[in-house]
Amino acid sequence: MRVLRRTLGALLALGAAPAMVTACAPAHGDDARPGDDPPAALAPFERLLPAPVSARAEGPGYSFGPGTVIRTGRPDEEVRRVGELLAEQLRGPSGLPLPVVDGAQGDGIRLRIDEGAQEVGDEGYRLESGPSGITLTARTPAGLFHGGQTLRQLVPATGPGTVPGGTVTDRPRFAYRGAMVDIARHFFSVEQVKRYVDQLAQYKVNTLHLHLTDDQGWRLAVDSWPRLAEYGGASEVGGGPGGHWTKDEYRELVAYAGQRYVDVVPEIDMPGHMNAALASYAELNCDGKAPERYTGTKVGFSSLCVAKERTYEFIDEVLGELAGLTPGRYLHIGGDEAHATPAADYAAFMDRAQAVVGRYGKTVVAWHQLATARPARGSVLQYWGHDKTPAADRAAVVAAAKAGHPLILSPADRLYLDMKYDAATKPGLAWAGYVPVQRAYSWNPGAYLAGVPESSVLGVEAPLWTENVATRAEWELMAFPRVMGLAELGWSPAAALDWASYGRRLAAQAPRLDAQGIGFFRAPDVPWP
């Protein structure tokens, strides 16, 4: 999976006449041709990313300034937290005090829970802006949070000013909108991952998948097996010092993400990708001999000992501790590239591993190779194939989807953020081909796998593997702006997916990325300012 496998159409009018942008009417037509006049600047509602279900600019706007307050409506601790976080996010660029107060009466930014607002679903919202203030309405606090992220794109970038008048009504297309980061190949701190959570959440990504273990390192402390982190975590690709997170650090990250309505999905990859564990404990090896720690980038050579009962005690204790630390519904058990495990042994192992996950009240997520074994009832498969994936492998995934297993789509030649943009990209790999920004965006998850209806697609996820990504600068260069396309693919209606429109809206996000210190890739096919 990680190395080469051999085998909205006129501009919105912000004055008296209302204008509408909907998913059925992309804001702009064909790409400009050489010699054409430069396109007019986008109006505020046209710049929104991800594209909302609908946006109407109408009438005068709201004067955002020193007197603005955030009103949380009825006393509610969670809504209050949403308001406090929104105030913190808006204070940064504006420098305004933005106090948060209870009660719904008065001007300012009003947060309103309306459980009867069925049209926005569990994560959607309605944003209404006018002279008396801005009202965010949602059925849930998560919806209010997402509405607040849209508001962040509408407020003046550098301080007091006018938020345009109008209405946005919005809800997500897919329930699962994820990004994965591999901290096993190269170790990264909790603070860096928190930074990524903030970067993702502002574009309505709601899931963080953590690849915590692999051949090169074990990154989370486990009380019942302490050498996993102490010894197995003290290495990484290239021979660096590695590192690991304490359980308190992991809890801190989970809580931080949860406050931003991002669920954490932890992954312990098994039965392959296990050299760090095998090096830590000789008893996990069939011959009772621990291998050396591994700092290279090959895959498929390691395997837990399927025949040993001690192996299942190990996975029960590890997954039990992990389940206790993780409030979300999913545990990811990997299952990919188990080339050193015979097929029958693989199926038998995955039967027992899935049963362990179920005993701890969690839902299995595994890479799509689980489709070749016996996926447990309700288990979720994550597809990382690409245009050259063998037809038989695709057929197994399609059959699993037809049997009721939801799919997360992570096609390597579309959403793998460690794939190089082009031949000149310094970090990253290219075994799935180059993935320029337009290619990463220009596909339809609901119709990607022939024979799989959109109803079988739980969502999309963009993984970032780190064999060749060792620094924050490299991480952010590879993730941005492609992960923003992932956000739109997961959130926006299918009819809104239009490259010409998206490219202009993406370009309009450049000042935000610059202000946040994100060193993004300035793709030549995007009309950056």
Side-chain angles (χ1 to χ4, degrees), residues 64-66 94 96 156 158-162:
F64 178 76
S94 73
L96 300 174
T158 57
T162 299

Side-chain angles (χ1 to χ4, degrees), residues 24-351:
C24 298
H28 301 284
D30 296 335
D31 290 312
R33 295 178 295 274
D36 289 348
D37 293 332
L42 296 178
F45 281 92
E46 287 187 307
R47 293 197 295 264
L48 295 177
L49 194 158
V53 171
S54 68
R56 177 184 294 273
E58 184 174 20
Y62 171 68
S63 181
F64 178 76
T68 298
V69 300
I70 296 178
R71 303 183 183 277
T72 62
R74 65 191 183 195
D76 183 293
E77 183 177 347
E78 190 172 0
V79 173
R80 177 83 185 198
R81 285 200 301 269
V82 172
E84 293 283 4
L85 181 55
L86 179 59
E88 178 184 331
Q89 292 170 331
L90 293 176
R91 285 184 195 118
S94 73
L96 300 174
L98 296 173
V100 180
V101 301
D102 292 331
Q105 302 304 313
D107 64 5
I109 299 169
R110 299 177 285 261
L111 307 183
R112 178 172 173 258
I113 293 289
D114 179 2
E115 296 174 356
Q118 299 295 325
E119 75 278 6
V120 300
D122 290 339
E123 290 189 275
Y125 62 91
R126 185 169 62 252
L127 183 156
E128 299 165 285
S129 174
S132 67
I134 298 163
T135 301
L136 295 176
T137 303
R139 291 184 62 214
T140 67
L144 289 179
F145 175 83
H146 295 315
Q149 303 315 296
T150 294
L151 177 59
R152 290 176 66 188
Q153 296 186 36
L154 293 172
V155 298
T158 57
T162 299
V163 176
T167 302
V168 177
T169 303
D170 208 4
R171 63 184 296 166
R173 179 183 182 187
F174 295 109
Y176 187 109
R177 307 175 303 280
M180 188 220 80
V181 62
D182 164 21
I183 65 167
R185 272 47 179 277
H186 278 100
F187 176 67
F188 288 91
S189 70
V190 165
E191 290 305 312
Q192 167 58 19
V193 180
K194 282 183 179 179
R195 175 177 167 86
Y196 200 40
V197 168
D198 281 323
Q199 293 166 346
L200 296 171
Q202 68 180 322
Y203 293 108
K204 305 180 177 66
V205 173
N206 69 350
T207 306
L208 176 69
H209 170 186
L210 293 172
H211 188 77
L212 294 169
T213 66
D214 215 297
D215 292 317
Q216 298 86 350
W218 188 286
R219 303 304 181 204
L220 182 64
V222 178
D223 293 340
S224 53
W225 297 77
R227 273 179 61 83
L228 291 173
E230 293 169 1
Y231 182 79
S235 60
E236 63 183 4
V237 167
H244 72 272
W245 296 348
T246 66
K247 294 174 82 169
D248 282 344
E249 287 175 318
Y250 178 81
R251 290 188 188 98
E252 178 186 342
L253 173 62
V254 169
Y256 188 89
Q259 291 168 357
R260 289 145 181 83
Y261 298 92
V262 174
D263 289 333
V264 171
V265 177
E267 179 189 355
I268 306 295
D269 203 348
M270 57 182 77
H273 291 279
M274 269 285 167
N275 194 78
L278 299 173
S280 300
Y281 287 96
E283 65 198 277
L284 296 177
N285 297 271
C286 288
D287 62 3
K289 298 178 181 179
E292 296 295 321
R293 288 181 294 203
Y294 183 67
T295 60
T297 59
K298 293 181 180 179
V299 300
F301 62 88
S302 64
S303 178
L304 289 169
C305 188
V306 175
K308 277 190 172 183
E309 196 60 30
R310 187 60 169 150
T311 293
Y312 303 101
E313 295 173 1
F314 165 74
I315 64 172
D316 184 271
E317 290 166 0
V318 169
L319 293 180
E321 288 193 36
L322 190 57
L325 295 170
T326 307
R329 64 184 294 189
Y330 299 116
L331 287 186
H332 203 305
I333 57 172
D336 64 312
E337 296 173 331
H339 306 321
T341 312
D345 287 352
Y346 174 83
F349 175 89
M350 295 304 280
D351 285 347

Side-chain angles (χ1 to χ4, degrees), residues 49 437 441 481-486 488 496-507 526:
L49 194 158
V437 173
Y441 175 83
R482 290 182 295 194
V483 78
M484 298 160 73
L486 169 281
E488 179 147 307
L497 303 182
D498 172 76
W499 168 252
S501 169
Y502 174 74
R504 297 189 67 202
R505 288 185 291 108
L506 179 59
V526 175

